[in-house]
Amino acid sequence: MRRSYLLAGVALVLTSGLALAQPESLLPPGFDDPAPAQAPAPAPTARPTVIPTLAPVSPQEEEPGVEPLPELFGSGFDGGSPISTVELPEDFPTIEELEAMSSDDVDELLGLKPKFDIPAAARRATSHIGVIDSGEGGFALASFAGQPVSLVRAALEGTRHPVVSRWGHILLRRTLASRLDAPEGMDAVEFAALRAAVLNRMGESYAARALVQDVDSSNYSAALADAAFDAYVATGDITGMCPVARLKSDLRKDPQWQMTRSICRSYAGGAREASQELSRALSREIAPRIDVLLAQRYAGAAAEGGRAVNIEWDDVSQLNPWRYSLSVALGVEVPESLREGAGPWYDRVDALSPALGLAARADAADRAGREGIFSSAAMVDLYGLIYSDRGISGDASLRATLLREAYVAQAPADRMEAMRNLWAGERADYGRLVLTAYAAARIPPSNEFQDDAPRLIASMLAAGLDRNAMRWTGQVSEGSEAWALLALAQPNRNGTVQAGAVDSYLDNDTSADQRKSRFFIAGLAGLERIDSDALETSANRLGLDLGRESAWSRMITRAAEVNNPALVSLLAGLGMQGNSWDMMTARHLYLIVRSLNQVGLQAEARMIAAEALARG
């Protein structure tokens, strides 16, 4: 049965405590309310005067300044006929429900919420979305304009995991963050949402946040809101989501979104209303207790004299991004038992978070370095801050001291010893080679460090210092691993490598299943640095089938044939997904290196090939 309500009652709820003001007359003083009679003033000096005359006002005309009330409210408000009733939808809230709703919800219900939060002159188009312009190293605006929508969408949706290659990560990040137009036939906001989602999955939350901020709140879709929410949570910037949460509150319905809206309301001046909402959320158990308590603490930071919220972890068995992000942002200590082994997402957040202590960030820096999130310079800066802070002790302080020694020790042998200590230990990995790249470049090529040459060269190449690495060309033995790294990394090479040297390397390789040899041959083939006879011989010896086709191989080959570097980079990232180099095949490496080399990304092709050999 349909319900009818007196709309005057609704108006009463919405305007509780307010009185209808009488309209103010727009006539000059004295015309609508003549002043009381006074004694006549002395006659002025005789001169002509002009007395204005007013046209009579017809009884049917409205008094100036008085606007008729909307018909919606009936005629009873102006003293006419009794108040009329209107038929409301069956699901229209009751008076009690209206009283419990927030002001934003009421505005949305009655269609009073604005559609834009930016003045018309400041609104941005949904084209050219991105962070890096082509003049700053990004790809061309129209890189994807003529590409099949289904291909671009499949490549972005299919990139579900980080890439195994540090250099592949750096290249894919540059592609996704470039200022680009959407492919013809794809909505620009969808394109931005897909790109931001991949950046989040790669651990590049700050790049994802910058990308979503290039879209006005009024243009957000549900998919872009999801990607933006993940980026803001990972960066600890919950209030960054507020423009979208307040303008387009219906994009999500989950508990974390509801709590975000309450937090935003508190920071917009509605601290009391936000506190009431979060108290109801706690009593109704819309989310685990710890999540709501953290939201209360976060929202309460916006209000003066807000009540204290006690955070207890006793009944918490695991972390999630929401509770960890808010804890870090609020300075709430997370139990070590929960943080230990929580997963790589938390390591990436720790490495980047300015709210964490330097020592905690250093513990996570190895992952960020080897994955490509941190540059070598960024890692050195971090340890420089640690070294200058005498209040920091433990492993992080020790590593900072060793890194300084690797740079400033007078004797090369002392600098080399400091680097060996940094590379040693249970947790040492490729990230430590990234850390020491510039220190390695300061070691003079010498027979004294022949055994260290492979790691020194790999360390330099981790930061792209290929010309520094090439100084070792005359010091390494033909057929050694150091020689193989230089053969792949050499910026300009005339001719192919000697077949005998290739055979010598394959003979000396002791890696599991000769994985390094497989990557070496694949890299040489992709860079066209091995002749066909030597390639066939080596491939047969290792059991390689570099020519086998698949849907992915045909796509990346075709993208290289039409000379589209952005699409090749995107497909290369798709083909390099995985948690370790064990998941990378020589055939994939060959196709990626060959395609990158074909479209003018020779530097990236060389670095990826050399990295594969170093980490294989």
Side-chain angles (χ1 to χ4, degrees), residues 7 19 24-25 125 224 351 391 412 424 486 603 612:
L7 206 46
E24 182 179 353
S25 174
L224 186 60
L486 296 177

Side-chain angles (χ1 to χ4, degrees), residues 259 263 274-275 277-280 282 289 291-301 307 309 326 330:
M259 291 186 287
I263 289 172
S275 177
E277 290 175 359
L278 289 171
S279 295
R280 285 196 296 269
L282 188 63
R289 180 178 177 82
D291 293 353
V292 184
L293 290 175
L294 288 166
Q296 286 183 322
R297 173 80 71 88
Y298 200 106
R307 65 185 182 87
V309 179
L326 265 64
L330 292 166

Side-chain angles (χ1 to χ4, degrees), residues 233-249:
V233 167
T235 56
D237 183 16
I238 304 300
T239 55
M241 197 70 205
C242 290
V244 178
R246 293 182 65 84
L247 186 68
K248 306 196 77 172
S249 57

Side-chain angles (χ1 to χ4, degrees), residues 52-323:
T53 58
L54 297 177
V57 178
S58 171
Q60 286 79 21
E61 293 181 2
E62 294 286 347
E63 182 181 356
V66 179
E67 301 243 348
L69 290 169
E71 294 182 3
L72 173 66
F73 290 94
S75 58
F77 277 91
D78 57 5
S81 60
I83 298 174
S84 61
T85 61
V86 292
E87 196 75 16
L88 296 176
E90 186 174 324
D91 58 350
F92 196 83
T94 64
I95 297 296
E96 291 77 12
E97 291 171 335
L98 283 168
E99 289 177 333
M101 291 171 67
S102 68
S103 57
D104 285 350
D105 291 335
V106 173
D107 287 347
E108 186 173 349
L109 174 69
L110 298 181
L112 302 177
K113 178 173 284 191
K115 295 182 179 179
F116 303 97
D117 59 347
I118 299 175
R123 292 172 201 156
R124 297 169 293 181
T126 53
S127 57
H128 305 0
I129 296 174
V131 182
I132 310 173
D133 189 79
S134 57
E136 302 168 326
F139 289 100
L141 276 173
S143 293
F144 294 98
Q147 302 307 316
V149 171
S150 58
L151 172 60
V152 176
R153 183 181 289 117
L156 290 168
E157 289 181 342
T159 307
R160 309 296 304 175
H161 308 282
V163 298
V164 297
S165 166
R166 166 181 165 79
W167 283 104
H169 175 108
I170 293 170
L171 178 60
L172 182 58
R173 178 182 59 203
R174 177 156 65 98
T175 306
L176 297 171
S178 292
R179 189 163 290 126
L180 300 168
D181 284 336
E184 188 175 347
M186 177 184 282
D187 180 72
V189 175
E190 179 194 0
F191 187 46
L194 289 170
R195 290 155 59 195
V198 177
L199 286 168
N200 281 325
R201 292 193 286 269
M202 294 168 59
E204 293 288 353
S205 52
Y206 284 85
R209 185 179 69 174
L211 180 64
V212 301
Q213 286 175 339
D214 207 31
V215 182
D216 288 350
S217 302
S218 58
N219 294 321
Y220 265 57
S221 64
L224 186 60
D226 289 343
F229 185 81
D230 291 343
Y232 283 115
V233 167
T235 56
D237 183 16
I238 304 300
T239 55
M241 197 70 205
C242 290
V244 178
R246 293 182 65 84
L247 186 68
K248 306 196 77 172
S249 57
D250 59 341
L251 289 178
R252 291 170 58 124
K253 301 294 184 184
D254 56 283
Q256 291 182 354
W257 184 250
Q258 295 178 43
M259 291 186 287
T260 298
R261 291 182 60 198
S262 298
I263 289 172
C264 294
R265 183 166 293 114
S266 182
Y267 280 84
R272 177 171 297 181
E273 190 177 9
S275 177
Q276 292 171 350
E277 290 175 359
L278 289 171
S279 295
R280 285 196 296 269
L282 188 63
S283 63
R284 295 172 183 173
E285 299 182 345
I286 69 165
R289 180 178 177 82
I290 185 66
D291 293 353
V292 184
L293 290 175
L294 288 166
Q296 286 183 322
R297 173 80 71 88
Y298 200 106
E304 294 184 8
R307 65 185 182 87
V309 179
N310 188 32
I311 306 297
E312 297 180 351
W313 297 92
D314 295 343
D315 298 326
V316 181
S317 60
Q318 63 182 5
L319 290 176
N320 63 26
W322 172 268
R323 62 186 61 149

Side-chain angles (χ1 to χ4, degrees), residues 545-555 557-558 561 587-588 591 594:
D545 183 8
L546 300 181
R548 183 168 58 85
E549 288 192 344
S550 65
W552 173 81
S553 71
R554 288 190 291 271
M555 287 189 295
T557 299
R558 180 56 182 159
E561 289 173 351
R587 174 177 154 271
H588 276 69
L591 290 166
R594 185 190 69 176

Side-chain angles (χ1 to χ4, degrees), residues 238-571:
I238 304 300
T239 55
M241 197 70 205
C242 290
V244 178
R246 293 182 65 84
L247 186 68
K248 306 196 77 172
S249 57
D250 59 341
L251 289 178
R252 291 170 58 124
K253 301 294 184 184
D254 56 283
Q256 291 182 354
W257 184 250
Q258 295 178 43
M259 291 186 287
T260 298
R261 291 182 60 198
S262 298
I263 289 172
C264 294
R265 183 166 293 114
S266 182
Y267 280 84
R272 177 171 297 181
E273 190 177 9
S275 177
Q276 292 171 350
E277 290 175 359
L278 289 171
S279 295
R280 285 196 296 269
L282 188 63
S283 63
R284 295 172 183 173
E285 299 182 345
I286 69 165
R289 180 178 177 82
I290 185 66
D291 293 353
V292 184
L293 290 175
L294 288 166
Q296 286 183 322
R297 173 80 71 88
Y298 200 106
E304 294 184 8
R307 65 185 182 87
V309 179
N310 188 32
I311 306 297
E312 297 180 351
W313 297 92
D314 295 343
D315 298 326
V316 181
S317 60
Q318 63 182 5
L319 290 176
N320 63 26
W322 172 268
R323 62 186 61 149
Y324 188 70
S325 177
L326 265 64
S327 297
V328 171
L330 292 166
V332 175
E333 186 175 355
V334 177
E336 186 63 29
S337 58
L338 293 177
R339 176 61 187 88
E340 188 68 28
W345 184 91
Y346 301 90
D347 291 337
R348 299 177 188 120
V349 168
D350 285 357
L352 291 167
S353 176
L356 276 178
L358 294 172
R361 294 184 63 191
D363 289 340
D366 284 347
R367 175 182 291 278
R370 72 170 179 264
E371 290 185 354
I373 298 172
F374 268 2
S375 66
S376 178
M379 296 184 76
V380 172
D381 287 346
L382 175 62
Y383 278 101
L385 292 172
I386 292 172
Y387 181 81
S388 64
D389 189 341
R390 297 305 179 186
I392 299 177
S393 59
D395 290 343
S397 178
L398 176 60
R399 291 195 296 272
T401 302
L402 287 172
L403 183 62
R404 183 178 185 276
E405 190 74 6
Y407 273 96
V408 304
Q410 295 230 344
D414 292 337
R415 299 202 298 272
M416 191 69 247
E417 182 61 25
M419 278 189 280
R420 291 191 194 106
N421 288 328
L422 283 169
W423 295 337
E426 294 181 0
R427 300 186 63 179
D429 62 2
Y430 189 72
R432 298 289 175 85
L433 296 183
V434 178
L435 174 65
T436 59
Y438 290 93
R442 301 184 71 245
I443 298 293
S446 168
N447 288 332
E448 180 184 357
F449 307 123
Q450 191 74 236
D451 293 340
D452 299 298
R455 285 191 294 184
L456 284 170
I457 293 170
S459 181
M460 286 182 271
L461 296 179
L465 305 177
D466 51 356
R467 297 189 182 278
N468 296 84
M470 295 310 299
R471 294 187 304 148
W472 284 81
T473 301
Q475 297 292 331
V476 298
S477 302
E478 191 175 83
S480 66
E481 182 170 334
W483 167 85
L485 286 168
L486 296 177
L488 293 171
Q490 188 173 359
N492 298 299
R493 185 181 184 91
N494 297 320
T496 58
V497 296
Q498 296 286 336
V502 173
D503 288 339
S504 178
Y505 177 78
L506 267 59
D507 291 340
N508 295 328
D509 180 23
T510 59
S511 61
D513 297 326
Q514 287 197 292
R515 180 178 295 278
K516 286 180 177 287
S517 292
R518 292 169 178 269
F519 287 160
F520 179 52
I521 298 302
L524 289 176
L527 294 169
E528 298 182 337
R529 295 182 176 182
I530 184 172
D531 63 49
S532 56
D533 290 340
L535 174 59
E536 183 179 359
T537 301
S538 300
N540 289 336
R541 177 176 174 178
L542 296 171
L544 294 178
D545 183 8
L546 300 181
R548 183 168 58 85
E549 288 192 344
S550 65
W552 173 81
S553 71
R554 288 190 291 271
M555 287 189 295
I556 196 170
T557 299
R558 180 56 182 159
E561 289 173 351
V562 299
N563 194 29
N564 190 320
L567 185 57
V568 167
S569 301
L570 187 63
L571 293 169

